[in-house]
Amino acid sequence: MKCRACSRPAVIDIRRHNTAFCQDCFVRHCRDQVERTVHAYDMFGPDDRVLVAVSGGKDSLALWDILLDLGVRADGLYLGLGIGEYSDASGRYARDFASRRGAKLVEVDIPTTFGFDIPTGAPAARRTPCSACGLSKRHLFNQAALDGGYDVVATGHNLDDEAAVLFGNVLRWDLAYLGRQLPVLPADDGFARKVKPLVRLSERETAAYCVLKGIEYIVEECPMAEGNRHLGYKGALNDVEVRSPGSKAAFYFGFLERVAPLVETHATEQRADLHPCPECGSPTVSEVCAFCRLAEKARRNASRGGHPPETDSSTEHR
Amino acid sequence: MKVLLRNPSREIEVPGPLRVHALLERLDINREAVLVISDGTLVTGDAVLPPEVTVEIRPVISGGAL
């Protein structure tokens, strides 16, 4: 197989584009896709300060690398989740990358800062680990961006992530979530601007980008995520994709073009009820925000030796 | 050839030569969900893997909390 751009031997084939690239042309392809996405959705400008949510995985490190190569003023933020060796290794990959690129990495360790960790905090608040983790990430990335004076938070959500989330939201016809499943969420009172510059790249492409650029990342899946619903959706979509290449992209970009404008109002309706959390000041529709409730329940549970807490099934997802 | 698999990490022997696509089909692995790395080099689906190489089949699917 030959590179479509230069006819040298290819190292990766991308079936949804019916194409293949050599190493140099593939790296350029990834960079072009991100640049095109940033411009198409007006994600940020040349003077904006960007805070990249960095996990030590392939997507966030690929994103940070590409943004730095594009000359974006991009710092990283790593959250220590307290998931044993997995968190230790993830943090090392994030720090090593930052050091190698001479980039600034901000770190927030949840156990030392907030007094709980995800493995014990999640059951204390009657949440799945992924729910507690996602909630903590959204809250703390937003807070760090506001505190640090960043113009925008960039996350490594790729095409597969977005297609899988869309699939789940469609299965439940969750119009409020569908209404805000966009590549850009504008800044608002208490909310930093959030962008997803990798939505034109599949996770196979972001992994290949890291391999070809020599970026070391944590390959192992998070031990808390095993068997979760989101991974099941990805598997189902890949079963479709392998028979019909381009299906995931058609599903997601078709939604953005034809359906998202129709459901946008469902997201804004919920926002009318937002007020500041009395504990931390973050916007919430509840009396106390979901993160402060999670932290409080986790700490209370730890202090009494891990007995089962009361139920909290509510979510706040932005 | 020696084939390294993950989740859980294990190593198996598969007789070569074999094309990448054929190897993935034989192992019942969706080609959209992995990269194939032969002796440290990323390879395309039509590449022929000789018997003496070490092949890593690296999963690319990730994601719990989003």
Side-chain angles (χ1 to χ4, degrees):
Chain A
M1 203 174 280
K2 291 208 156 78
C3 174
R4 183 185 69 176
C6 72
S7 298
R8 283 188 292 174
V11 294
I12 182 165
D13 44 339
I14 307 172
R15 294 176 71 227
R16 78 172 189 284
H17 293 317
N18 192 25
T19 195
F21 290 115
C22 70
Q23 175 164 338
D24 291 347
C25 294
F26 177 71
V27 167
R28 198 174 306 120
H29 155 80
C30 292
R31 208 176 291 154
D32 290 348
Q33 292 293 315
V34 169
E35 197 168 23
R36 182 179 161 195
T37 306
V38 169
H39 289 151
Y41 296 102
D42 197 17
M43 291 184 165
F44 47 80
D47 297 327
D48 284 338
R49 289 180 66 224
V50 177
L51 185 63
V52 182
V54 176
S55 68
K58 64 190 190 314
D59 302 309
S60 56
L61 291 180
L63 172 61
W64 200 7
D65 191 69
I66 291 170
L67 293 181
L68 290 171
D69 282 351
L70 289 172
V72 177
R73 299 166 67 201
D75 296 340
L77 171 63
Y78 174 77
L79 292 184
L81 303 165
I83 309 178
E85 171 53 28
Y86 180 79
S87 285
D88 295 342
S90 304
R92 280 197 297 274
Y93 285 113
R95 277 175 226 117
D96 288 350
F97 176 87
S99 166
R100 207 157 64 97
R101 290 290 320 233
K104 179 183 174 186
L105 180 69
V106 179
E107 293 194 50
V108 176
D109 187 61
I110 292 179
T112 51
T113 310
F114 297 98
F116 74 97
D117 58 37
I118 296 300
T120 57
R126 292 279 172 91
R127 287 178 174 271
T128 64
C130 295
S131 163
C133 180
L135 163 65
S136 302
K137 284 177 174 174
R138 288 188 296 276
H139 177 88
L140 295 171
F141 286 141
N142 186 64
Q143 200 59 51
L146 295 174
D147 291 348
Y150 290 92
D151 299 289
V152 59
V153 175
T155 60
H157 292 91
N158 56 49
L159 174 60
D160 294 73
D161 294 325
E162 292 304 292
V165 170
L166 176 61
F167 189 55
N169 287 338
V170 167
L171 285 179
R172 291 186 295 280
W173 289 118
D174 194 322
L175 296 179
Y177 282 2
L178 285 168
R180 54 179 181 263
Q181 202 193 328
L182 303 169
V184 175
L185 289 171
D188 205 341
D189 274 350
F191 287 118
R193 184 176 178 82
K194 296 184 182 69
V195 301
K196 302 171 183 174
L198 294 185
V199 294
R200 283 188 201 278
L201 294 173
S202 70
E203 56 191 344
R204 192 165 164 273
E205 288 168 276
T206 61
Y209 178 89
C210 287
V211 170
L212 293 171
K213 287 273 310 236
I215 298 170
E216 293 196 15
Y217 65 92
I218 188 150
V219 176
E220 287 73 27
E221 181 54 272
C222 173
M224 311 299 296
E226 193 179 341
N228 83 1
R229 195 165 50 188
H230 186 76
L231 291 174
Y233 293 157
K234 284 188 170 181
L237 289 170
N238 271 343
D239 285 345
V240 175
E241 183 78 14
V242 79
R243 288 171 180 80
S244 180
S247 294
K248 284 183 290 196
F251 180 49
Y252 175 62
F253 289 106
F255 162 77
L256 287 185
E257 190 182 319
R258 295 193 284 277
V259 181
L262 305 177
V263 293
E264 204 173 354
T265 51
H266 291 274
T268 50
E269 278 167 13
Q270 199 180 45
R271 307 208 89 194
D273 299 330
L274 289 170
H275 60 86
C277 169
E279 305 284 327
C280 69
S282 294
T284 180
V285 293
S286 308
E287 190 181 335
V288 175
C289 82
F291 178 77
C292 287
R293 292 201 308 272
L294 164 68
E296 173 57 25
K297 285 177 182 175
R299 285 192 295 260
R300 202 185 320 143
N301 191 56
S303 70
R304 67 178 177 225
H307 296 299
E310 61 267 41
T311 302
D312 182 357
S313 58
S314 66
T315 55
E316 284 177 19
H317 191 289
R318 183 182 190 260
Chain B
M1 70 190 78
K2 189 192 292 182
V3 180
L4 310 176
L5 299 158
R6 300 212 190 214
N7 298 332
S9 289
R10 60 206 187 277
E11 189 179 306
I12 59 171
E13 278 292 332
V14 176
L18 204 57
R19 283 194 191 276
V20 168
H21 285 158
L23 172 65
L24 295 177
E25 269 175 35
R26 184 175 296 187
L27 299 174
D28 197 22
I29 292 173
N30 188 321
R31 68 171 86 168
E32 295 296 329
V34 294
L35 293 176
V36 178
I37 302 169
S38 172
D39 279 345
T41 303
L42 203 55
V43 288
T44 54
D46 67 338
V48 176
L49 301 165
E52 67 276 10
V53 292
T54 297
V55 178
E56 178 190 353
I57 299 181
R58 182 180 292 196
V60 298
I61 294 186
S62 63
L66 293 171

